[in-house]
């Protein structure tokens, strides 16, 4: 009996993700820390934590983390493209960054789509929820284990984490 | 019954960020706490350049070349852009650990330390990591409840852990860290060039004019020159020295913080594990490396606000909302929709009251995030995330 205008469709899917996150906040969490052996570049440890042993196969976990590490390595690579971007931006006194998206930001978007896809295909059916490290200050990759086992998180119907503002600020 | 959107100020994440930063322009601008010296810097640069454009440039443009003021303008614009970028951007602040992460780390520490005898001090919280065959100690930050990544440090003025912390600069009113170091360096470099430029052309101008009209008359005609020369003279020594110092640090891939603490001074065969041992490579990494985005998400919308639109509209919507008057419903009997300033005890009653005056709970915006239990079931509180 509630009146729902057309724009509420978006809100409903938002609502579902809210519920997902709400149940994630009640779950136990497993944190994968950063791997600093190669310096300050963004890289996560690929060691399989014992707490996830019952929920997911080691190979799937390692595959996800290795792909994430590759994405971050590509974002932080110091090569032709980063020089070009840096020099071009410097020549415009970095004003161009007010309208253009940096390479790192584009790769972060790719990463968040990848994580969402991994959640849909692999993790949520097993009762796990993978959070994007960018929401934790790039410090940890966190897996939320639902209390109810594989049914715990249902299926995330919304496309992305809506809380993150699309305009990444300077 | 028509759907009535209640206009309310959207709460953005910057409003709830811990730490002692100042935010402006709805979270777009982020600065340190003390801004007095920053205003002085702005005043000195703008003031001196204005005097230069007013007194020297007309004469020099006519008698020497019009390129002189043009180049001065370009240099001035570059200096201001770099200063504002350094001052207004996020230096690389590491967000504090949320409760679950903090507990997880505490458990790890307790497991590592084992049992501590009563009365004994627990051992310092340090993690050792090996970076490029060098042991680096990661310290635990009691304020942020995290093990600081290598090269990060906690700034006591801003009360934040900053990645690749260099120093807190009062002249720019902000910390200098991973994200804004290159802007800071370019600021000092371009300011040195601008100071040298203005100083040199002041001298040229005085000399040229004195040949025509004598020294005393020149000073009488352009009194600004004396002021400019004074400011430039004192600025030269400090800014050029600072630029030289930072050029040295960049070529070694060190931060001011590490230099002051003597972390890689070479005693005990400790060497800088981050340096590529090649000056060009070090410079390229610091100055031409990727531009790291901020992980703070200052302008993200707080999740308690259920009926707010999707984030791509959120920023447009919030500016739109802020310009609308807060007259919420068309019903005159509707009581005030509570906001952050409503005292807490008033909220539950108001929450119940608004339920009946508006069309549906889904349309209605919930009251402030500080007391989310006031309104009914439609609100899902993002407690710990």
């Amino acid at each position: 009996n509630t009146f729902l205008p057309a724009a509420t469709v978006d809100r409903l899917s938002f609502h579902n993700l809210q519920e997902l996150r709400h149940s994630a906040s009640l779950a136990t969490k497993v944190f994968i820390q950063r791997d600093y052996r190669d310096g300050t570049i963004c890289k996560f440890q690929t060691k399989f934590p014992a707490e996830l042993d019952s929920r997911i196969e080691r190979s799937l976990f390692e595959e996800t983390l290795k792909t994430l590490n590759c994405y971050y390595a590509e974002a932080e690579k110091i090569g032709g493209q980063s020089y070009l971007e840096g020099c071009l931006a410097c020549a415009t006194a970095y004003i161009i960054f007010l309208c253009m998206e940096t390479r790192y930001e584009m790769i972060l978007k790719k990463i968040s789509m990848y994580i969402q896809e991994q959640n849909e295909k692999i993790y949520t059916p097993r009762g796990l929820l993978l959070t994007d490290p960018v929401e934790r200050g790039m410090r940890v990759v966190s897996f939320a284990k639902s209390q109810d086992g594989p049914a715990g998180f249902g299926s995330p119907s919304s496309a992305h984490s809506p809380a993150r503002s699309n305009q990444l600020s300077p | 019954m028509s759907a009535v959107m209640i206009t309310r100020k959207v709460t953005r994440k910057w409003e709830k960020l811990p730490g002692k930063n100042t935010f402006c322009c709805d979270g777009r601008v982020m600065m340190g706490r003390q801004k007095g010296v920053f205003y002085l810097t702005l005043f000195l640069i703008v003031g001196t350049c204005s005097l230069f454009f007013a007194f020297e440039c007309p004469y020099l443009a006519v008698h020497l070349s019009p390129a002189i003021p043009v180049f001065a303008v370009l240099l001035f614009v570059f200096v201001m852009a770099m200063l504002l970028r350094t001052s207004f951007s996020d230096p690389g602040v590491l967000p504090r650990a949320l409760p679950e992460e903090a507990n997880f780390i505490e458990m790890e520490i307790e497991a590592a330390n084992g049992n501590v005898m009563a009365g004994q001090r627990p051992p310092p919280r340090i993690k050792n990591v090996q970076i490029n065959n060098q042991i680096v100690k990661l310290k635990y930050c009691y304020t942020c409840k995290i093990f600081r990544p290598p090269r990060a440090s906690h700034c006591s003025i801003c009360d934040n852990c900053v990645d690749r912390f260099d120093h807190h600069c009062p002249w720019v009113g902000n910390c200098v860290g991973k994200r804004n170091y290159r802007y800071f360096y370019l600021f000092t470099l371009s300011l040195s060039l601008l100071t040298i430029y203005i100083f040199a052309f002041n001298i040229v101008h005085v000399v040229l004019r004195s040949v025509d009209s004598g020294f005393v008359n020149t000073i009488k005609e352009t009194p600004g020159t004396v002021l400019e020369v004074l400011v430039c003279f004192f600025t030269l020594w400090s800014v050029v020295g600072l630029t030289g110092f930072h050029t040295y640090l960049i070529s070694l891939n060190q931060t001011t913080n590490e230099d002051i603490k003597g972390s890689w001074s070479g005693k005990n065969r400790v060497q800088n594990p981050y340096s590529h041992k090649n000056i060009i490579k070090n410079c390229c990494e610091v100055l031409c490396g990727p531009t790291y985005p901020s992980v703070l998400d200052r302008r993200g919308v707080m999740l308690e606000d259920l009926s707010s639109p999707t984030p791509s509209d959120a920023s447009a919507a919030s500016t739109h909302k802020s310009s609308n008057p807060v007259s919420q419903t068309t019903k005159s009997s509707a009581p005030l929709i509570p906001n952050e300033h409503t005292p807490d005890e008033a909220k539950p009653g108001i929450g119940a009251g608004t339920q009946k005056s508006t069309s549906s709970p889904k349309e209605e915006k919930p009251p402030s995030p500080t007391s989310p239990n006031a309104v009914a079931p439609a609100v899902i509180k993002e407690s710990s995330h």
Side-chain angles (χ1 to χ4, degrees), chain B residues 51-52 55-56 202 219 221-230:
Chain B
L51 289 176
F52 182 70
F55 291 109
E56 270 78 22
N202 271 336
I219 303 296
E221 280 166 33
T222 55
T225 310
V226 180
L227 211 57
E228 287 169 58
V229 169
L230 265 175

Side-chain angles (χ1 to χ4, degrees), chain A residues 133-145:
Chain A
V134 83
E135 293 173 25
R136 300 284 177 271
M138 309 284 256
R139 274 197 312 270
V140 284
V141 174
S142 82
F143 284 90
K145 270 165 67 174

